[in-house]
Amino acid sequence: MRFIRLMFVVLLAILLIAVALANRDMVTLNAFPANFGQYLGGTWSLNLPLFLVIFLAIAFGVVIGFVWEWLREAHIRRESRQRASQVAQLEREVSHLRDNHAGPRDDVLAIVDRPRSAPQGTGNPPRPIASPSPAPGTTLPSQPVR
């Protein structure tokens, strides 16, 4: 992909240099038609090489196109900002609800769910409430009973 991009840039540079060399003659660029500029004071005309006029016209067209698209897509950017703020508000609300409703609703459940702490001075770590293995006698038999 880099090679293709490099080849495109090289070909574009060769084309632009060829256009510049072929259009080196000086032309007069008037800002207003038929001596209208004299009423505003000043000459309002420039003598430039033709290739420079062509390149400036292309650059001006590109800038106008970018501005036009930016203005045309303003409502899309506004809606995106509004939706982003709505998403942030909903995420805050969900976080708030999780904080408020994450704890047990009953005092008895709060006592049962609270991890037991070892008596002071024994140095034993707190014992977990549930063990990873099932209690004896609670597993199903592996062979069907006849």
Side-chain angles (χ1 to χ4, degrees), residues 18-59:
V19 168
L21 290 175
N23 296 295
R24 292 179 293 171
D25 296 335
M26 297 298 280
V27 294
T28 302
L29 181 67
N30 294 314
F32 298 108
N35 297 328
F36 183 72
Q38 72 185 7
Y39 297 113
L40 299 174
T43 57
W44 297 92
S45 64
L46 292 170
N47 288 329
L48 298 171
L50 181 59
F51 74 89
L52 192 58
V53 172
I54 292 170
F55 293 162
L56 288 176
I58 291 170

Side-chain angles (χ1 to χ4, degrees), residues 19-135:
V19 168
L21 290 175
N23 296 295
R24 292 179 293 171
D25 296 335
M26 297 298 280
V27 294
T28 302
L29 181 67
N30 294 314
F32 298 108
N35 297 328
F36 183 72
Q38 72 185 7
Y39 297 113
L40 299 174
T43 57
W44 297 92
S45 64
L46 292 170
N47 288 329
L48 298 171
L50 181 59
F51 74 89
L52 192 58
V53 172
I54 292 170
F55 293 162
L56 288 176
I58 291 170
F60 183 70
V62 168
V63 168
I64 293 296
F66 283 149
V67 169
W68 184 270
E69 281 299 308
W70 184 76
L71 291 173
R72 189 179 69 83
E73 295 171 352
H75 71 280
I76 295 171
R77 287 190 304 276
R78 182 180 59 245
E79 183 177 344
S80 175
R81 280 191 307 270
Q82 289 173 348
R83 299 241 174 146
S85 67
Q86 287 175 349
V87 166
Q89 177 186 0
L90 290 173
E91 286 176 350
R92 285 191 305 269
E93 184 177 339
V94 166
S95 175
H96 177 70
L97 288 173
R98 280 187 184 146
D99 291 342
N100 287 344
H101 298 290
R105 296 181 182 172
D106 191 4
D107 291 336
V108 173
L109 291 176
I111 293 170
V112 170
D113 288 341
R114 183 176 52 202
R116 293 184 188 178
S117 60
Q120 296 292 17
T122 61
N124 294 334
R127 195 177 66 192
I129 294 174
S131 65
S133 60

